[in-house]
Amino acid sequence: MNARAEASGGRLDTIKLAVAGALLAGGIFAFYFFADYSTLLRVIGLLVIGGGAAVIALRTAQGRRLWQFIGDSRTEVRKVVWPTRQETIQTTLVVMAMVLVLGIILWLFDSVLMALVRFLVGRGG
């Protein structure tokens, strides 16, 4: 009995997702079909249709899992200890200095190799 109810819920979820997808596809089609109308009205209409499709999709098992994942992600982001402004500036300056130093080292290495190749080929200086 439980398997039958679960299969029925799965079919209903599939139908809901198909309706949400069709609604969204219809909204996108209408957005381009009514190109003569105001862009603002078309965008508002597309947002309303997209919101309706999202509500329908969130009523499925996959949608509930997605919403739970989003909630869990927000909880984890709140736990992160973000760097202070001073730490961010210091880290950025260190990275920029290292990039500059590494760029100079690579330029010198390239110059030495180019001089060596010119010497071996017999062109130049």
Side-chain angles (χ1 to χ4, degrees), residues 5-93:
E6 193 172 301
S8 171
R11 279 191 227 129
L12 185 59
D13 282 352
T14 304
I15 292 170
K16 286 180 184 178
L17 288 174
V19 167
L23 191 61
L24 190 59
I28 292 171
F29 173 78
F31 179 83
Y32 289 108
F33 184 76
F34 295 110
D36 295 337
Y37 288 89
S38 168
T39 304
L40 177 64
L41 292 176
R42 293 185 299 139
V43 167
I44 290 172
L46 185 60
L47 289 175
V48 168
I49 290 173
V55 167
I56 292 172
L58 287 174
R59 300 257 181 212
T60 64
Q62 295 92 341
R64 285 188 291 275
R65 281 196 316 248
L66 175 65
W67 194 252
Q68 181 66 39
F69 175 75
I70 291 170
D72 292 344
S73 298
R74 289 184 66 209
T75 302
E76 290 299 320
V77 166
R78 288 186 193 132
K79 293 179 185 178
V80 172
V81 178
W82 297 101
T84 64
R85 179 179 174 90
Q86 183 181 3
E87 291 172 335
T88 304
I89 290 172
Q90 288 174 346
T91 304
T92 302
L93 291 175

Side-chain angles (χ1 to χ4, degrees), residues 4 24 27 87 102 118:
R4 179 183 286 174
L24 190 59
E87 291 172 335
L102 190 59
R118 284 185 181 158

